[in-house]
Every structure is written in structure tokens, then in C-alpha cells.
Amino acid sequence: MTCDFLPLAAPGVRTLQPYQPGKPESELRREYGLSEIVKLASNENPLGPSPKALVAVREALNGLARYPDGNGFDLKTALSARLNTPMATLTLGSGSNDVLELAARAFLTPAHEAVFSEHAFAVYPIVTQAIGATARIAKAYPPDHAMPYGHDPAAILKLINDRTRIVFIANPNNPTGTWLKTAELQALLAAVPESVIVVVDEAYGEYVEADADCPNALRWLDRFPNLIVTRTFSKAYGLAGLRVGYAVSHPQVADLLNRVRLPFNVNSLALVAATAALDDLDYLERSRTLNRAGMRQLQTACRTLGLTWLPSVGNFLCVNVGRPGREVFVELLKRGVIVRPVDNYGLPDFLRISIGSQAENARFIEALGAVLKG
Ligand SMILES: *Cc1c(COP(=O)(O)O)cnc(C)c1O
């Protein structure tokens, strides 16, 4: 008997392309028998987790037979104090991807549309299509723009109509690294009708330097009640493996997100680790300093190799390798270096490199030099 379940799947799911994660080290080890592997493929923190988070996790291990606090009281209390926002504005998620999906489930239906840019983060089309809603893709800025391949607010606004329920903005965007500057994002928020939810995804917010003019969108929550700002502990806070992120929004929006949230979506180790990491300001500062130095190291090396890159305020750099990025990616794999091809994001000649430790960056630079020469 032959089975065909495809016609049984929900319409949006039939054509859905699954998220392609960075290649895990263990997989490269299995495939190539390599031992010394450098992974700069998923924008993880090269420092590892905060020591304070590790202590908190060890202390929480004996409590694993219990369900976590389904309301995340301690973490919300800490976030509320740090961000100066009422507890009722906070929604916790298993990573911020979870929160992005909550927004889609709370506001989208098959009759509605979500708008986001070309080259934007891959989770937006997934959560939109999985609901059966329609994704409307705005043209990005052209390659010769000051913010090449970046979000174009005018193109986004043009796609908004009566069916639009959500606009997704990644600021800065992954994989490009580009961002909307303060005046640009503020003008966009002001131009979007109040009946359209705007999700500003600030997964890399902690890395942004003041002189970049890349805004912290929390400042606009009072002014724009249709705004949802999402953040994560996966990047600068070094807890990608535990899965914890959050949204800040109008309390009524938070209440709606909470209605579709599954019980206990954030596990108990993630809750205590995030609470402790939030308190480790020294670790956060070291993460930022390491990133700044690594960014300089990578850009200097790219310049020496005659390569260009996209502007970035994140912990990664999107580099034009001047030939199919996927080929360079495979050659780097053979040398034990994992980076991220971004052809699936419409950037076939680019590779996205996460900023690693000084030594990891040096390994990548050496391998890239060899590949490009060979
Ligand atoms: C990494 C990333 C996230 C965060 O994912 P988590 O689920 O929190 O690990 C969200 N948005 C963007 C743009 C990202 O790059």
C-alpha cells in the first residue's frame, strides 16, 4: 500500500520549506572525521554561557521532577526591573522564535497577510505559512544602496492593505546585518495603521553600538500600542541551547499572546539561567567587547582578501565571496570550519560568518584565504 500524506496536510504546510539550521559540529565530525572544528554558523556566543547562569542551572537540577513556573514570575520580575516595563507587558517563549509564532497564531488566519522584507529572517515565512496566512514579500534596498539588501520601509508600506495583520521587522536583520535607523523605523511605525501589529525583532539588540543609530524599539511602546518587541537569551546572553526569549508589548497584546501560549513553554533550567544571566552585566560587557574586536578582525581580513561585506551591527558578518557561497562553504567544511551559506535567503554569493573568539576567527580567516587561492 502506498501512502501519500501530502494532500492531507494543511494547505500552507504543503509548500512549506523547513528551517535550515547551521550545521552542527557533531555532524561534520561524523561526515568528514575531522576533530578540530570551528563553528561560526549560528550566531552563538563564543564565550559560552555566563558562569552565573551555570551555577543557577546546577542548583535547579534537583527540581527537574517538577513542572516549571508556568508564569515565569522570577524571570519576568527581573526583566521588568531591567527594562523598566510592567510585568503585564511581558510574554516568555522557548526562544524568541516561539514568541514570533505566538504572534502569528494570535493574529493571523488563512484570510490574512503578513508583510516582511526579502532577505529577512527565515522564521517569518515559516510561522506565516504554517497558519495558512499569506506572506507578502517587500523588495529590499538594492545592492548599491547605503544599506544594501536592507529592509525598505516604503516597499513594506506599499504591501499593507485591509488583510494585513502583522509586519515583521528584524532590526538588525539576520542574515544581512543591516538595520533601520531611528528616524526610519519611527516613521515606519507612525505610518503603519494601528490595526496592524508590528513585530520588531531585536535578537541582536544587546550588540548594537550607540553610534550605529539603530534604535531600541522599547522606547516606542507607549506611543505605538500595536508594537511587539522581541528579544532573546540565545545570542549575547549565550543560552541558545536552553531556548528562552521574550516579547514586550501592550498588556492586551501580551494577554492575547498568552492565550495561545502552551503551558510550561519555557523550561525550568532556561528560566533560572536567563534570570541569572540577566544579572551578569560583567559577562554581557565581555561579550560585547569580544564581538567588537572580532568584528574588526574579520573586516580587516576581508579587506586584505579583497572582499566586501554588508554593514552589520550584530554578531555576524555577511561577506560577498565573489563566487557561489555554497561552494566556498563546502570547501571550508573540508577544512573544519562551519559557516552559513545564505543562498536560501536570496544571497547566493554571500556567506554569513558569526563572530567567534579571536582564535576561531583566525582559523576561519586562514581557511578562507586558502580556499579562495586554491
Ligand atoms: C537568532 C535569531 C532569533 C532568536 O532565535 P531564538 O529562538 O531566540 O533562539 C530571532 N530573530 C532573529 C532575527 C535571529 O537571528
Side-chain angles (χ1 to χ4, degrees), residues 43 119-121 124 147 150-151 169-181 185 200-209 212 214-215 230-231 235 311-316:
N43 302 344
H119 320 299
F121 187 44
Y124 312 149
M147 206 58 89
H151 294 4
I169 306 277
N171 213 40
N173 182 44
N174 166 22
T176 56
T178 54
W179 65 102
L180 288 174
K181 296 191 172 180
L185 183 54
V200 176
D201 177 348
E202 296 188 340
Y204 302 95
E206 294 84 4
Y207 285 112
V208 170
E209 306 281 350
C214 177
T230 62
R231 302 263 181 89
K235 308 287 160 56
S312 172
V313 286
N315 64 342
F316 57 91

Side-chain angles (χ1 to χ4, degrees), residues 19 42-43 93-100 120-124 169-175 201-204 230-235 239-241 243-246 315-316 345 352:
Y19 181 79
S42 301
N43 302 344
S94 175
S96 55
N97 287 336
D98 187 27
V99 179
L100 295 170
F121 187 44
V123 167
Y124 312 149
I169 306 277
N171 213 40
N173 182 44
N174 166 22
D201 177 348
E202 296 188 340
Y204 302 95
T230 62
R231 302 263 181 89
T232 181
F233 286 91
S234 298
K235 308 287 160 56
L239 295 174
R243 317 299 306 124
V244 50
Y246 60 94
N315 64 342
F316 57 91
Y345 282 92
R352 191 196 68 193

Side-chain angles (χ1 to χ4, degrees), residues 38-58:
V38 168
K39 184 186 179 216
L40 301 174
S42 301
N43 302 344
E44 296 143 335
N45 192 324
L47 283 179
S50 144
K52 286 190 177 179
L54 288 180
V55 169
V57 165
R58 280 191 201 103

Side-chain angles (χ1 to χ4, degrees), residues 248-262:
V248 193
S249 67
H250 186 282
Q252 198 190 5
V253 171
D255 174 55
L256 292 168
L257 298 178
N258 193 51
R259 293 183 196 195
V260 292
R261 188 176 64 84
L262 293 179

Side-chain angles (χ1 to χ4, degrees), residues 70-253:
N71 291 316
F73 182 82
D74 290 342
L75 178 54
K76 280 191 185 174
T77 303
L79 282 169
S80 171
R82 171 61 49 79
L83 306 173
N84 192 25
T85 189
M87 301 266 275
T89 63
L90 296 168
T91 306
L92 302 182
S94 175
S96 55
N97 287 336
D98 187 27
V99 179
L100 295 170
E101 199 203 12
L102 296 183
R105 285 203 283 132
F107 292 101
L108 293 176
T109 78
H112 292 117
E113 299 180 356
V115 175
F116 47 88
S117 178
E118 278 183 296
H119 320 299
F121 187 44
V123 167
Y124 312 149
I126 292 177
V127 298
T128 301
Q129 252 182 276
I131 301 281
T134 301
R136 303 290 308 273
I137 317 288
K139 281 299 257 187
Y141 281 138
D144 59 354
H145 191 275
M147 206 58 89
Y149 305 100
H151 294 4
D152 176 351
I156 288 169
L157 281 173
K158 234 189 280 169
L159 294 183
I160 294 177
N161 60 40
D162 293 346
R163 295 181 298 280
T164 312
R165 280 286 188 275
I166 300 188
V167 174
F168 288 107
I169 306 277
N171 213 40
N173 182 44
N174 166 22
T176 56
T178 54
W179 65 102
L180 288 174
K181 296 191 172 180
T182 307
E184 257 181 321
L185 183 54
Q186 185 173 349
L188 176 60
L189 290 169
V192 173
E194 215 168 85
S195 57
V196 175
I197 296 288
V198 181
V199 176
V200 176
D201 177 348
E202 296 188 340
Y204 302 95
E206 294 84 4
Y207 285 112
V208 170
E209 306 281 350
D211 62 4
D213 191 24
C214 177
N216 170 349
L218 291 180
R219 71 162 87 161
W220 291 312
L221 277 169
D222 287 337
R223 206 167 134 200
F224 302 112
N226 54 331
L227 174 62
I228 300 178
V229 180
T230 62
R231 302 263 181 89
T232 181
F233 286 91
S234 298
K235 308 287 160 56
Y237 285 104
L239 295 174
L242 278 178
R243 317 299 306 124
V244 50
Y246 60 94
V248 193
S249 67
H250 186 282
Q252 198 190 5
V253 171

Side-chain angles (χ1 to χ4, degrees), residues 17-55:
Q17 296 295 318
Y19 181 79
Q20 298 176 24
K23 198 178 184 69
E25 272 180 59
S26 51
E27 192 174 306
L28 187 60
R29 207 166 278 131
R30 277 199 306 273
E31 287 175 3
Y32 291 80
L34 293 164
S35 54
E36 291 284 295
I37 290 168
V38 168
K39 184 186 179 216
L40 301 174
S42 301
N43 302 344
E44 296 143 335
N45 192 324
L47 283 179
S50 144
K52 286 190 177 179
L54 288 180
V55 169

